[in-house]
Amino acid sequence: MFLTREDEAMLNGEYGQGPEIAMSILVKLGDMYGADRMLKIENVHIDGAAYGWINDAGLELVEKLSSSGARFRVPATLNPSSIDFDMWKELDIPSHVAKKQLRLAKALKEMGAIPTWTCAPYQYGADLRFGQNVAWGESNAVGFANTVVGARTERLGDLADVCTAVVGKYPNFGLYLDENRRGQILFESDKLKLDTFDSADYGVLGFFVGSVAQERVPVITGIPRNIATDQLKSFCAASAVGGSVALSHLCGVTPEAKTVAEACRGSKPEERITIEDNELEKTRQKLSTVSEEHPEVICLGCPHCSVQELVKLACIMRGKKVKRDVRLLVFTSRAAKTLADDMGAIEAIESTGGKVVADTCWNFVPLDAKTLMTDSVKMAWTSLSKFTNVALGSLERCAEAAVGARL
Ligand code: F3S
């Protein structure tokens, strides 16, 4: 891989021990993936911000970088941590986890991290523009950056993201290259009634597209231009777990894909698929193992709820009570929670018995239950091994179930 004089200087320790460690890791990664050079990066979203994901070895590396004096060269936002910093005790997070998370937070913030603690940084905290080279971790955020904004990012692994923030560079491979952004498989959605789709439906669509496309770049026609940001969030999160999609060309929505020809860079798609309702129904059944079950836990906010989602939930729940044997947990960012709190939405949700959790991810909260209900395809799919029964429904259906209606 070609290295500039500055890259070499970092590698040789002329910028200090932190950049030396970070650059040596990134050069090895670049060599492994056949990168030709290092690319300047404008911002980073750090997936490895949770102690629960990076464990002791990761904590050791981050603390070593920080104590060696390394500082982030570009803005870096943070994915959810392992704790809600205000109420981890109330959520039964073990204190040894909290202590290590607090150490990790200290080290990251010393290096200059922006403490967003959210998996939807594109809604609150990050600065994204079309055509930028950025370096993001967290699959839904990677998908959103590439698909919705048209920024360019590969899928960064834990700790490669921290190293990238330290040097402000990442190897040039994968989705940074024009040829790898070419649409390969075409999905036509003309037979679907997309104007009636809610966020959970877009999740099912995303999961279906991902499971068929797998490693290929999908192109989808017929998506309404006025699709809501929360629906795009749901689509991107689900397509990343259905396959390993990090870029979808939604014709007319994705800035670099106004038409199929533009999405495919002038070549023909390898395959053409007309999406039928029954295919989506089969996908929904795969994700939702029960349809008429009483949920013990209802979880919303995977990816994190926006202010709009919190307000919508508050409007549905206002004046009602969550059933005594049901736990309603709503995950969001600290920024969204603060704004929604100012609007009275948090009080409205919590006075019903629901709990709005910030800074963290449902994966880190002990949920002693057999039956889960969620509006998130990503959560439904990834929790199938943790829960005996999983029910997928819209935010409205989840709210109804929480206050006593049968699913
Ligand atoms: Fe976010 Fe955790 Fe879901 S990081 S996308 S809430 S799995």
Side-chain angles (χ1 to χ4, degrees):
M1 180 163 60
F2 170 77
L3 296 180
T4 62
R5 169 74 197 103
E6 185 185 51
D7 300 339
E8 294 277 10
M10 285 186 188
L11 196 57
N12 295 334
E14 292 169 41
Y15 283 68
Q17 195 191 16
E20 180 184 352
I21 296 169
M23 188 56 99
S24 70
I25 291 171
L26 293 172
V27 167
K28 283 197 188 90
L29 188 75
D31 284 339
M32 210 163 80
Y33 283 98
D36 59 342
R37 64 193 166 95
M38 297 297 284
L39 201 61
K40 275 200 175 165
I41 292 299
E42 294 188 44
N43 63 62
V44 178
H45 179 63
I46 295 176
D47 190 24
Y51 169 72
W53 294 141
I54 64 171
N55 299 307
D56 286 343
L59 174 61
E60 195 183 317
L61 174 66
V62 176
E63 286 188 324
K64 186 168 183 175
L65 289 170
S66 172
S67 63
S68 73
R71 294 297 174 260
F72 291 161
R73 297 185 102 209
V74 291
T77 46
L78 297 177
N79 218 44
S81 82
S82 288
I83 60 173
D84 177 315
F85 289 94
D86 283 351
M87 55 178 189
W88 58 268
K89 285 188 186 146
E90 207 180 307
L91 293 168
D92 293 330
I93 312 276
S95 62
H96 71 273
V97 171
K99 276 186 194 144
K100 294 203 171 163
Q101 180 63 58
L102 290 168
R103 275 172 51 190
L104 180 60
K106 180 170 177 283
L108 287 166
K109 286 196 275 184
E110 271 168 5
M111 287 194 282
I114 303 167
T116 48
W117 308 115
T118 182
C119 46
Y122 42 82
Q123 292 191 306
Y124 309 99
D127 179 17
L128 270 185
R129 287 195 318 277
F130 173 55
Q132 275 180 325
N133 290 317
V134 299
W136 281 31
E138 166 50 48
S139 61
N140 96 82
V142 169
F144 194 99
N146 281 311
T147 301
V148 181
V149 182
R152 294 184 173 210
T153 178
E154 244 310 305
R155 314 146 172 93
L156 267 77
D158 290 351
L159 302 172
D161 42 23
V162 178
C163 292
T164 303
V166 167
V167 300
K169 299 179 185 201
Y170 191 73
N172 185 35
F173 68 91
L175 291 171
Y176 295 113
L177 303 173
D178 270 341
E179 62 264 33
N180 295 329
R181 299 180 74 84
R182 182 176 62 80
Q184 293 161 296
I185 171 167
L186 177 63
F187 292 86
E188 292 166 321
S189 66
D190 314 349
K191 295 199 173 172
L192 306 177
K193 292 195 180 69
L194 290 175
D195 54 338
T196 65
F197 272 34
D198 57 31
S199 290
D201 297 326
Y202 271 106
V204 174
L205 176 63
F207 191 91
F208 172 76
V209 166
S211 62
V212 176
Q214 290 296 321
E215 303 277 314
R216 293 176 288 177
V217 176
V219 179
I220 303 104
T221 59
I223 302 294
R225 278 168 200 267
N226 63 351
I227 178 172
T229 302
D230 289 323
Q231 294 173 334
L232 289 163
K233 175 172 71 176
S234 177
F235 177 91
C236 291
S239 62
V241 289
S244 55
V245 172
L247 161 66
S248 300
H249 289 304
L250 309 180
C251 288
V253 176
T254 302
E256 65 199 276
K258 289 179 202 67
T259 61
V260 173
E262 191 181 26
C264 297
R265 307 287 198 261
S267 55
K268 281 222 164 80
E270 295 159 10
E271 199 180 339
R272 177 184 286 257
I273 289 169
T274 301
I275 310 171
E276 306 276 354
D277 272 330
N278 66 337
E279 290 295 344
L280 295 192
E281 196 40 48
K282 275 191 236 160
T283 305
R284 193 184 301 276
Q285 281 168 15
K286 189 153 80 174
L287 295 160
S288 196
T289 58
V290 285
S291 56
E292 295 293 333
E293 195 67 37
H294 181 78
E296 291 165 79
V297 178
I298 299 173
C299 271
L300 305 171
C302 172
H304 277 173
C305 282
S306 64
V307 173
Q308 288 89 332
E309 288 170 318
L310 293 169
V311 170
K312 186 173 179 183
L313 182 64
C315 290
I316 301 170
M317 304 282 292
R318 190 165 271 125
K320 305 191 176 83
K321 281 281 171 218
V322 172
K323 289 179 75 184
R324 258 188 305 139
D325 52 353
V326 175
R327 199 171 168 204
L328 172 67
L329 293 171
V330 185
F331 291 82
T332 190
S333 63
R334 180 70 47 188
K337 186 174 178 180
T338 304
L339 292 169
D341 192 31
D342 214 7
M343 298 167 76
I346 304 302
E347 160 72 21
I349 296 168
E350 296 202 326
S351 64
T352 68
K355 180 71 65 198
V356 181
V357 181
D359 314 317
T360 191
C361 159
W362 62 274
N363 273 295
F364 301 120
V365 175
L367 299 172
D368 185 22
K370 287 195 166 50
T371 304
L372 167 85
M373 187 174 186
T374 180
D375 66 340
S376 160
V377 163
K378 178 171 179 173
M379 191 188 294
W381 180 243
T382 53
S383 66
L384 278 171
S385 58
K386 292 189 187 182
F387 296 89
T388 314
N389 297 315
V390 176
L392 177 70
S394 64
L395 184 141
E396 290 84 349
R397 295 281 297 262
C398 288
E400 281 167 16
V403 295
R406 295 284 289 180
L407 305 182

